Amino acid sequence: MDEFQAEDETTFVVEEVSKIIKESVEATIGGNTYQHNRVNQWTTNVVEQCLSQLSKLGKPFKYIVTCVIMQKNGAGLQTANACFWDNTTDGSCAVRWENKSMYCIVTVFGLAI
Amino acid sequence: MTGTEDTQTSYEGSFGAKEAEAIVKESVDATIGGEDYNKDQVNKWTAAILERCISDLCKLGKQYKYIVTCAVTQKTGAGLHAANSCFWDTALDGSCTVKWENRTMYCIVSVFALSIA
């Protein structure tokens, strides 16, 4: 039983991270319309909030958070990631969010120290 | 020559960012340099860019884990904004972001290197 608990504290838990991302995005841009002069502030807020919540988890991980916000006007967007890491301890979580005027894609990478 | 190809780069951290930049530029130029945005091919392009970047980065033989992200977007006037934030060892880890464009598309590639040593 003790061993199982310890594992939870040192592994990358996708559901937990996904929840943090969704909350950050909703809090920052939920209900807003794409605005060119505010989007800079939005992406910054999303990544900062995510990172701050992730570091509060207190796990022995380094984190990288990326956020892309794109206006909906019919343009095509393709994003992809490749990682060279330790498959047993590291992980990632990507969340795609949208509303009427924009798409927001947030990816969190967690690498065990 | 069809259209111009421009790049801009930003660095952070103490890892060999210049080397990473050169690897990324070669990879992007070789894959989409001179191509027009094509929604049927873009999937293959991003995969090819990433594979080549990761493989060349590993060949550097340094003690790092790597994360490479690539976004390709069509030029239609839509606004696109990307941001990254990292929680790492500021002395050893680093990143490099390369923004590339041609007549019909933008390509943004970010390399993050995290020290294992």
Side-chain angles (χ1 to χ4, degrees), chain A residues 90-108:
Chain A
D90 307 330
S92 72
C93 173
V95 171
R96 205 192 90 153
W97 182 97
E98 66 180 286
N99 67 11
K100 262 196 354 179
S101 59
M102 53 186 168
Y103 294 107
C104 177
I105 302 173
V106 179
T107 310
V108 172

Side-chain angles (χ1 to χ4, degrees), chain A residues 45-104:
Chain A
N45 283 350
V46 168
V47 294
E48 272 179 21
Q49 228 182 320
C50 280
L51 208 53
S52 132
Q53 294 300 318
L54 287 164
S55 54
K56 283 188 190 146
L57 295 175
K59 296 189 175 183
F61 278 94
K62 292 179 178 178
Y63 294 105
I64 294 179
V65 184
T66 70
C67 171
V68 176
I69 293 184
M70 184 164 115
Q71 189 181 15
K72 274 187 175 180
N73 88 340
L77 171 71
Q78 171 82 11
T79 64
N81 312 309
C83 309
F84 181 71
W85 62 18
D86 183 336
N87 273 338
T88 54
T89 54
D90 307 330
S92 72
C93 173
V95 171
R96 205 192 90 153
W97 182 97
E98 66 180 286
N99 67 11
K100 262 196 354 179
S101 59
M102 53 186 168
Y103 294 107
C104 177

Side-chain angles (χ1 to χ4, degrees), chain A residues 6-24:
Chain A
E7 200 184 291
D8 208 41
E9 279 162 23
T10 57
T11 49
F12 188 83
V13 181
V14 177
E15 293 83 25
E16 203 174 30
V17 174
S18 172
K19 187 161 159 275
I20 286 174
I21 297 175
K22 286 180 185 155
E23 278 171 16
S24 299

Side-chain angles (χ1 to χ4, degrees), chain B residues 63-100:
Chain B
Q63 296 276 13
Y64 282 105
K65 290 181 180 179
Y66 295 104
I67 297 194
V68 186
T69 69
C70 172
V72 175
T73 180
Q74 190 179 15
K75 273 185 171 177
T76 61
L80 172 79
H81 202 95
N84 308 314
S85 183
C86 308
F87 182 74
W88 60 19
D89 182 333
T90 47
L92 301 168
D93 304 331
S95 73
C96 165
T97 301
V98 177
K99 291 171 282 270
W100 182 101

Side-chain angles (χ1 to χ4, degrees), chain B residues 1-103:
Chain B
M1 183 143 92
T2 55
T4 52
E5 283 155 13
D6 303 318
T7 45
Q8 303 151 47
T9 313
S10 55
Y11 311 101
E12 226 181 279
S14 63
F15 96 109
K18 285 238 172 252
E19 280 169 309
E21 183 195 344
I23 285 173
V24 168
K25 281 185 183 162
E26 263 176 42
S27 181
V28 177
D29 284 334
T31 311
I32 57 177
E35 299 271 358
D36 283 343
Y37 182 88
N38 182 332
K39 69 171 171 58
D40 300 317
Q41 298 267 52
V42 73
N43 208 348
K44 278 199 320 197
W45 288 340
T46 50
I49 290 170
L50 288 177
E51 269 177 45
R52 189 164 159 164
C53 281
I54 284 259
S55 131
D56 289 349
L57 285 165
C58 296
K59 285 187 192 147
L60 295 175
K62 298 188 174 176
Q63 296 276 13
Y64 282 105
K65 290 181 180 179
Y66 295 104
I67 297 194
V68 186
T69 69
C70 172
V72 175
T73 180
Q74 190 179 15
K75 273 185 171 177
T76 61
L80 172 79
H81 202 95
N84 308 314
S85 183
C86 308
F87 182 74
W88 60 19
D89 182 333
T90 47
L92 301 168
D93 304 331
S95 73
C96 165
T97 301
V98 177
K99 291 171 282 270
W100 182 101
E101 68 179 282
N102 68 8
R103 212 177 43 94

